Amino acid sequence: MATAAPGRATRAGEASPSTPPRPQAGGAALPVKYKGLLTLGVMMATIMQILDTTIANVAIPHMQASLGATRDTINWVLTSYIVASAIAIPITGWLSDRIGSRNLFLISTVGFIVASALCGAAQTLEEMVLFRLLQGVSAAFLNPLSQTVMLDINAPKDQGKAMSIWGMGIMVGPIMGPLIGGYLTDNFDWRWVFYVNLPVGVICFAILWWLLPSRPIRKRQFDVFGFTLLAIGIGSLQLMLDRGQDQDWFSSTEIWIEMLFSVIALWMFVVHLFTGKNPMFERELWKHRNLVTGIFFMMVIGLVMMATMALLPPMLQNIYGYSVFDTGLLLMPRGVGVVLTMFVGAQLIQRGWLDPRWSVGIGLAIAAVSLWEMSGWTIEMGSTPFIISGFIQGLGLGLVFMPLNGLAFAGLPPHFRTEGSSLLNLTRNIGASVGISAVSAILAQNIQRSHQYLGEHVTATTMNGIASIIPGLGQQGALVTGLIDAEVNRQAAMIAYLNDFWLMAIVTAVSVPLVVLLQKPGAPMKNDPSAAGH
């Protein structure tokens, strides 16, 4: 592989920190000096971006009042970010080749910092949505690029450890988001959930500017037709998923239109991908079995992790009465479990004591067991079950995420890494969107069904004669009736949450046998065009 072009001009004979030395056999694709400091800068960018997927959620009620928005329109603050990020992710590989991975990383970091500052200063809902669109586009490139850099600057023998460090940021970020967002909102102002990115971003940019190397620029024709189809398909899908609950799903004409646009555009994109000239994703990518299998598992991880994270905060606050900050504290053990098994698993796999495929299977099984335990929660219990189940689920997810990334990139030529990473991140985001929308819709339906069932059993007989004296209590009787109805609602909501946990446990357990589709790193990859040459 040729030495990458320098990131900035230097005097003759003087090496730039951003110009990697020539790689040695068996070494990193882009060797760098001060690898530890560069890793810190890359991880700061990763965590800064991933935190923003959840940190703003807890501040939505405060934004609504400050920006003069309604309950329906304020959701565009979240929807605009998700849609913009989903549409932009697929072009990461082409942009990285076209303008250079270093330049794209730096531009994205600056864009994210500026957009965060603008979001914090927004005075109207229209301004906030516009700035969130800019933030979403900038954020889209940070995750694939950061993962690619972590692989490029580490030799193959160290890539497992590098992926465990990167995975910690990806997995722990969404868990810490509500806690940090709740603290900033309660103690300062909702605008600080965006302003907090500024000092972190400036330090991150300085490190990246100094040390970040670049891949060689490759001239590739941009697939305008393919990108248009993919953008329409993903954008329509995200809009349908985000707005479906508010629009009562398929009773709404808007949802039907968005679904049809999504299905037609994505079908045409798949056909174009395998038949057209110069497709957006090079067809060789789809011949790597581990990458394709990893894409499926990433969707499952997005579904299980983000759907669970979407369900737990409202459950803990509305049914059990915990504050926003206490809810964040109760979710922290999940992050502890993730960090622990990512660290331990990386050591075991690196020493050859654990097959990474076994790690993925065991991790999924542990996550399924924890979700099954959650389906047995009761409406009157202390905090211990939340802590234990969260910690166990974190252990499982940590065992899955790191080795899965390593397996997905095993045998994949270095110049395909950015595109492969963008596909993995895209499918994880789509899995999260589908999972959150699905469990929210099922939750709402089950609440109505359970409320109706429980209400039918609230009779004069079951209430031990209380119903007969309520009419004579006047205003106090109305209060009693309201309390009874509130308790029926609480019980119905609890049943609905447990059903969601049970459903996610089944989805996770069913995916475990598919681990057999993965191939161990170092084994000959069937139908792998790089097997002979790499």
Side-chain angles (χ1 to χ4, degrees):
M1 178 178 177
T3 305
R8 58 180 183 270
T10 55
R11 293 188 298 271
E14 182 182 350
S16 164
S18 63
T19 306
R22 186 177 299 276
Q24 303 297 320
L30 295 178
V32 294
K33 296 180 180 179
Y34 313 115
K35 185 173 71 173
L37 184 57
L38 178 56
T39 298
L40 175 63
V42 170
M43 289 310 303
M44 289 175 72
T46 303
I47 294 173
M48 178 177 64
Q49 181 275 329
I50 204 70
L51 274 176
D52 251 57
T53 60
T54 56
I55 194 173
N57 294 27
V58 297
I60 286 295
H62 300 270
M63 292 184 200
Q64 180 180 337
S66 179
L67 300 175
T70 64
R71 189 180 69 86
D72 292 335
T73 57
I74 195 62
N75 287 332
W76 281 103
V77 173
L78 303 177
T79 302
S80 57
Y81 181 91
I82 294 171
V83 171
S85 182
I87 291 175
I89 282 178
I91 64 172
T92 306
W94 179 83
L95 273 178
S96 176
D97 286 343
R98 185 69 181 83
I99 68 174
S101 56
R102 169 186 164 86
N103 292 334
L104 181 59
F105 208 149
L106 293 175
I107 291 170
S108 301
T109 303
V110 171
F112 192 83
I113 296 170
V114 172
S116 297
L118 292 173
C119 287
Q123 299 300 313
T124 66
L125 178 64
E126 291 77 13
E127 289 180 358
M128 175 61 79
V129 171
L130 176 62
F131 300 148
R132 285 285 279 177
L133 283 169
L134 174 60
Q135 192 182 38
V137 171
S138 301
F141 307 126
L142 292 178
N143 271 357
L145 289 171
S146 64
Q147 185 176 25
T148 303
V149 171
M150 293 293 284
L151 289 167
D152 285 346
I153 66 175
N154 286 278
K157 64 183 180 65
D158 297 324
Q159 286 178 356
K161 186 185 298 183
M163 284 298 95
S164 68
I165 295 172
W166 184 81
M168 288 177 192
I170 294 294
M171 301 293 280
V172 176
I175 297 170
M176 296 299 296
L179 176 64
I180 297 173
Y183 176 81
L184 293 173
T185 303
D186 289 343
N187 293 278
F188 298 96
D189 185 80
W190 66 263
R191 299 180 185 277
W192 277 97
V193 303
F194 299 109
Y195 288 149
V196 72
N197 292 327
L198 304 187
V200 177
V202 169
I203 297 172
C204 167
F205 177 80
I207 295 174
L208 296 178
W209 176 264
W210 179 30
L211 298 174
L212 187 65
S214 181
R215 291 166 169 271
I217 291 177
R218 298 169 59 211
K219 300 295 183 182
R220 289 172 54 194
Q221 183 177 345
F222 184 61
D223 182 13
V224 177
F225 181 64
F227 174 71
T228 302
L229 290 174
L230 189 60
I232 293 173
I234 292 177
S236 299
L237 175 64
Q238 290 287 353
L239 284 173
M240 183 188 78
L241 294 172
D242 291 334
R243 293 180 55 76
Q245 188 64 33
D246 293 332
Q247 300 297 318
D248 197 19
W249 289 104
F250 294 104
S251 62
S252 166
T253 303
E254 175 193 336
I255 299 302
W256 274 105
I257 292 173
E258 288 164 354
M259 185 197 72
L260 290 174
F261 268 85
S262 177
V263 171
I264 293 171
L266 290 176
W267 172 254
M268 291 177 65
F269 173 76
V270 171
V271 173
H272 172 73
L273 182 66
F274 290 100
T275 61
K277 296 181 179 179
N278 301 310
M280 176 176 292
F281 298 109
E282 297 191 44
R283 280 190 276 270
E284 276 190 46
L285 277 171
W286 307 102
K287 298 178 182 179
H288 294 267
R289 195 168 90 182
N290 272 12
L291 177 65
V292 175
T293 308
I295 286 171
F296 168 79
F297 278 119
M298 278 298 171
M299 187 170 289
V300 174
I301 290 176
L303 189 154
V304 172
M305 180 179 181
M306 296 308 296
T308 305
M309 292 301 298
L311 289 174
L312 284 175
M315 180 186 186
L316 293 173
Q317 293 170 44
N318 298 333
I319 293 182
Y320 294 95
Y322 290 104
S323 67
V324 172
F325 186 74
D326 288 340
T327 297
L329 289 176
L330 289 175
L331 296 178
M332 281 188 65
R334 183 174 275 94
V336 174
V338 167
V339 171
L340 179 62
T341 49
M342 276 193 171
F343 176 77
V344 174
Q347 299 300 316
L348 294 176
I349 292 172
Q350 191 173 15
R351 286 172 169 77
W353 297 346
L354 178 65
D355 188 323
R357 298 169 299 175
W358 274 98
S359 179
V360 173
I362 293 170
L364 287 171
I366 291 174
V369 169
S370 71
L371 287 164
W372 176 75
E373 289 181 348
M374 291 165 65
S375 69
W377 283 351
T378 63
I379 202 165
E380 299 291 343
M381 65 181 191
S383 60
T384 302
F386 305 130
I387 296 172
I388 294 176
S389 64
F391 179 71
I392 292 174
Q393 192 172 116
L395 293 176
L397 292 173
L399 281 173
V400 173
F401 195 79
M402 183 275 295
L404 184 60
N405 275 281
L407 287 166
F409 287 98
L412 194 68
H415 63 273
F416 282 148
R417 284 174 181 167
T418 303
E419 284 194 354
S421 181
S422 67
L423 283 169
L424 290 172
N425 281 276
L426 175 63
T427 50
R428 189 180 71 246
N429 290 350
I430 291 176
S433 296
V434 171
I436 291 172
S437 297
V439 297
S440 299
I442 295 170
L443 181 71
Q445 294 173 1
N446 282 339
I447 288 176
Q448 293 178 354
R449 192 176 296 116
S450 299
H451 186 278
Q452 182 180 358
Y453 175 80
L454 293 174
E456 291 173 352
H457 291 75
V458 179
T459 65
T461 302
T462 58
M463 293 174 65
N464 296 321
I466 295 177
S468 61
I469 65 173
I470 288 178
L473 296 177
Q475 293 182 347
Q476 286 76 16
L479 178 62
V480 172
T481 303
L483 291 173
I484 293 172
D485 184 63
E487 183 58 26
V488 171
N489 286 333
R490 194 166 77 105
Q491 296 285 346
M494 186 67 186
I495 294 171
Y497 278 114
L498 299 183
N499 287 340
D500 268 2
F501 294 143
W502 175 246
L503 176 63
M504 287 191 291
I506 293 175
V507 171
T508 308
V510 167
S511 66
V512 173
L514 297 178
V515 170
V516 298
L517 297 176
L518 293 168
Q519 291 183 289
K520 188 175 181 180
M525 297 284 176
K526 297 179 181 178
N527 302 320
D528 188 343
S530 68
H534 294 273

